[in-house]
Amino acid sequence: MFNKRTKIKQLLEGDKANFETTVMGWVRTFRNNQFIALNDGSTNNNLQVVATLGLLDDATMKRITTGACIKATGEIIESLGKGQRVELKATAIEILGDSDAEKFPLQPKKHSLEFLREIAHLRMRTNTFGAIFRVRHSLAYAVHKFYNDRGFVYMHTPIITGSDAEGAGEMFKVTTLPLDGTAPKNDDGSINYKEDFFGKSTNLTVSGQLEGELAAMSFSDIYTFGPTFRAENSNTTRHLAEFWMIEPEVAFNDLEDNMNLAEDFIKYIIKFAVDNNGDDLAFLAQRLEEEEKQKPQNERSEMGLLDKLKFVVDNDFERLTYTEAIEILRESNHNKKKKFQYLIESWGTDLQSEHERYLVEKHFKKPVILTDYPKEIKSFYMRQNDDGKTVAAMDILAPGIGEIVGGSQREERLDKLLQRMEEMQIPVEEMNFYLDTRRFGSCPHAGFGLGFERLVLFVTGMTNIRDVIPFPRYPKSAAF
RNA sequence: UCCUACUUAGCUCAGUUGGUUAGAGCAUCUGACUGUUAAUCAGAGGGUCGCUGGUUCAAGUCCAGCAGUGGGAGCCA
């Protein structure tokens, strides 16, 4: 069998030596015509393959270049040199795939993240991105494990949606109609979508929440985990046009239950990565530390990556209402000395990211859950509080990332929901499928959305969201 | 979309008040090297200075437009 080989991770972690094996992987460096640092992606650590003199002819030797793929067979022995416990003393080396050294863009040296972003198809072969995407995998696995262990049903909500009113931003249109102006038209000149593939106007989903609510009205506890799409012209380190979102929706939960679920969930998956990806996180922590050294002293973070993750897992998130947050901000020296670009004056305006950062990074120095926002700045489906001014919303803000979770208790009372939809000009006739849940056996329920990439950012210590998804999609960019 | 900085060799960057053949480190290539750890040593090749136009005797350098990238803001997850 061709693929009979041992993974490098297994060889390096085992405590055995003096046995025959075969490894396959990609050459990172080739030193002294003798030492091959081989990586197969199972771990960031390389296996040292030793090609003793005379094993290879000159022509084959020349083909062992950075990036080449090789198969090496030999004996695992305790290393004669320092720096590694074991090494492979090769008895045979076969080139599986050549890599022209003059053209292969990755060199055994430091590259900028901007450059690597241009070669996203090859950047996974670097230590940094190898670590990031193994951590990303673990986090994704932990998401499913967390909900499965608690009896949640994983719902696949549609990616193509017929609902125009998911209410979370600009949508990408999905159509098979021609774009050259010859699409069928209505009498008033608008496009006649009855002729389109689905017989109506359709878009890529911006959220699975509405469908998730329908499912929660049947299974009690559900979650979604899938891609979502926003056609916003957002050019930031925190936004993508295509990103993955986790949206649990739970019948019979109120806002406090919702907060407890979100906090437990975040702590669980971070702990899972800490417990299962120690090597990768240690590498990323060291990388971050070196990057921090470039910064001036006052901009450096007080904690290293691993300490920060441990702190989040071990400590309660700070919970306070929007109204309390406004008071803290208004009374802060920062506000009084007019250091905010947008000064806090009155109740009712939305918080700017500088305010969120102040609360999270300066005042509390831990994740913060803000609740009970003014209804004017939140979505129609959020449950109205008895004060008539606020809704049962909650946002979780993380240090360095900002909003990582947005959620709420949903409005289960049909009359209140209809009234809110009217005020916010949501087309009721298109939402009948959603309103049916309030007509037939409505119940209190709550849920939230967590941006997966933002969580990966937080756990890996990376700063640009384009570096934590394999093939990022953002304005003017859909390469690969 | 707005504000701001940047764009010079494969990569990371120098390049003075506009002045003659545009530099370095790493990478690559050639050679040396049997215990190296981003190996080391010697030598060589490599540039339409983002694109378009303008000012000038003369533009990598000054001006305008466009494009791309970084950072910040808005929108949000």
Side-chain angles (χ1 to χ4, degrees):
Chain A
M1 194 199 294
F2 177 77
N3 198 25
K4 192 164 183 183
R5 52 121 190 180
T6 313
K7 289 205 177 192
I8 288 172
K9 180 184 171 77
Q10 192 186 327
L11 293 172
L12 294 178
E13 285 179 356
D15 52 5
K16 287 190 293 185
N18 305 310
F19 59 93
E20 288 279 319
T21 194
T22 296
V23 295
M24 302 184 203
W26 294 269
V27 175
R28 285 286 173 83
T29 62
F30 184 32
R31 288 183 293 267
N32 207 6
N33 278 344
Q34 198 181 178
F35 303 104
I36 303 165
L38 195 69
N39 189 283
D40 66 0
S42 60
T43 165
N44 254 3
N45 301 312
N46 302 323
L47 177 69
Q48 174 153 285
V49 175
V50 184
T52 39
L53 187 69
L55 177 68
L56 300 172
D57 55 82
D58 279 3
T60 310
M61 197 91 104
K62 291 259 185 245
R63 292 170 66 195
I64 302 174
T65 55
T66 301
C69 186
I70 67 167
K71 172 182 180 179
T73 300
E75 192 183 359
I76 293 290
I77 58 168
E78 288 187 25
S79 180
L80 302 178
K82 289 172 185 163
Q84 57 276 319
R85 191 185 65 83
V86 292
E87 62 192 18
L88 182 84
K89 189 168 191 273
T91 52
I93 289 176
E94 186 186 335
I95 311 287
L96 299 178
D98 287 287
S99 175
D100 185 341
E102 284 194 68
K103 291 178 182 153
F104 186 62
L106 292 174
Q107 303 155 13
K109 60 169 278 193
K110 194 168 162 52
H111 289 291
S112 68
L113 294 172
E114 293 82 22
F115 170 66
L116 292 170
R117 218 168 281 150
E118 292 169 17
I119 49 166
H121 55 306
L122 295 172
R123 67 179 177 171
M124 298 173 184
R125 292 199 200 176
T126 65
N127 283 335
T128 298
F129 287 95
I132 290 169
F133 293 127
R134 275 187 300 271
V135 169
R136 182 181 166 111
H137 159 78
S138 276
L139 291 168
Y141 174 76
V143 168
H144 290 299
K145 182 161 166 50
F146 175 87
Y147 288 113
N148 182 67
D149 288 355
R150 283 159 186 74
F152 283 58
V153 173
Y154 175 32
M155 288 302 303
H156 290 119
T157 53
I159 288 169
I160 298 172
T161 176
S163 166
D164 270 336
E166 290 175 345
E170 289 295 310
M171 303 179 103
F172 288 102
K173 182 146 290 289
V174 175
T175 182
T176 55
L177 293 175
L179 297 173
D180 57 8
T182 61
K185 302 260 170 53
N186 294 314
D187 292 343
D188 63 2
S190 62
I191 290 174
N192 180 6
Y193 285 107
K194 289 197 177 113
E195 299 284 317
D196 202 352
F197 186 90
F198 295 107
K200 63 177 298 193
S201 170
T202 51
N203 299 295
L204 292 179
T205 184
V206 294
S207 163
Q209 184 200 314
L210 300 187
E211 289 90 348
E213 283 190 56
L214 312 183
M217 298 294 106
S218 310
F219 299 100
S220 306
D221 302 346
I222 68 97
Y223 72 105
T224 74
F225 184 7
T228 46
F229 308 87
R230 306 270 167 97
E232 308 280 352
N233 192 6
S234 294
N235 294 286
T236 79
T237 54
R238 302 180 307 283
H239 291 85
L240 290 165
E242 176 181 295
F243 65 100
W244 288 66
M245 188 152 64
I246 297 136
E247 295 180 285
E249 193 70 37
V250 182
F252 319 120
N253 263 13
D254 64 12
L255 188 67
E256 192 184 349
D257 299 322
N258 202 31
M259 287 190 275
N260 291 341
L261 178 67
E263 186 169 338
D264 288 349
F265 171 53
I266 289 170
K267 287 177 172 173
Y268 178 90
I269 55 180
I270 291 176
K271 185 167 190 309
F272 188 90
V274 170
D275 289 346
N276 291 278
N277 291 71
D279 279 1
D280 289 324
L281 288 174
F283 176 85
L284 290 167
Q286 194 190 341
R287 189 194 155 279
L288 186 65
E289 198 180 313
E290 276 163 27
E291 198 155 274
E292 294 261 314
K293 281 181 193 161
Q294 312 293 320
K295 292 188 193 165
Q297 194 97 42
N298 60 339
E299 285 177 28
R300 292 182 201 168
S301 50
E302 294 166 22
M303 268 186 254
L305 180 63
L306 296 173
D307 290 337
K308 184 186 79 174
L309 296 178
K310 199 168 179 313
F311 181 84
V312 168
V313 169
D314 291 342
N315 288 279
D316 289 342
F317 295 3
E318 192 68 38
R319 299 183 185 192
L320 70 162
T321 65
Y322 165 89
T323 307
E324 289 163 341
I326 288 285
E327 270 318 297
I328 289 173
L329 288 166
R330 202 203 322 252
E331 295 304 316
S332 69
N333 283 331
H334 216 73
N335 195 51
K336 286 175 177 165
K337 288 181 183 167
K338 308 205 170 175
K339 281 190 185 165
F340 286 128
Q341 195 182 343
Y342 298 90
L343 293 179
I344 296 286
E345 279 154 12
S346 60
W347 191 92
T349 54
D350 211 349
L351 297 178
Q352 306 290 321
S353 45
E354 59 177 339
H355 306 135
E356 296 180 349
R357 294 190 67 149
Y358 178 85
L359 285 172
V360 173
E361 291 162 25
K362 292 253 162 53
H363 192 83
F364 291 116
K365 301 190 177 186
K366 55 157 71 171
V368 169
I369 311 183
L370 284 181
T371 63
D372 303 291
Y373 283 81
K375 64 179 180 183
E376 283 75 19
I377 58 175
K378 287 292 179 183
S379 301
F380 72 91
Y381 50 73
M382 296 188 178
R383 193 177 194 278
Q384 295 175 61
N385 290 328
D386 295 340
D387 61 13
K389 285 157 53 183
T390 59
V391 289
M394 65 128 183
D395 283 2
I396 301 184
L397 311 174
I401 313 290
E403 186 177 346
I404 196 164
V405 162
S408 66
Q409 186 173 341
R410 317 306 187 189
E411 183 55 82
E412 82 280 12
R413 299 161 296 189
L414 182 62
D415 55 333
K416 299 252 184 195
L417 184 57
L418 284 169
Q419 171 210 329
R420 214 51 206 123
M421 288 174 78
E422 198 170 311
E423 283 168 16
M424 299 176 80
Q425 296 177 351
I426 309 287
V428 172
E429 39 320 327
E430 284 182 32
M431 301 290 287
N432 268 318
F433 75 94
Y434 180 71
L435 293 168
D436 269 357
T437 56
R438 275 63 169 174
R439 294 186 181 113
F440 308 116
S442 189
C443 75
H445 61 291
F448 63 84
L450 179 140
F452 186 57
E453 282 75 17
R454 289 193 180 170
L455 187 88
V456 181
L457 270 184
F458 185 76
V459 175
T460 58
M462 300 298 290
T463 51
N464 194 319
I465 202 163
R466 296 166 185 181
D467 294 329
V468 297
I469 187 168
F471 301 102
R473 252 93 259 231
Y474 49 94
K476 300 281 185 288
S477 182
F480 313 104

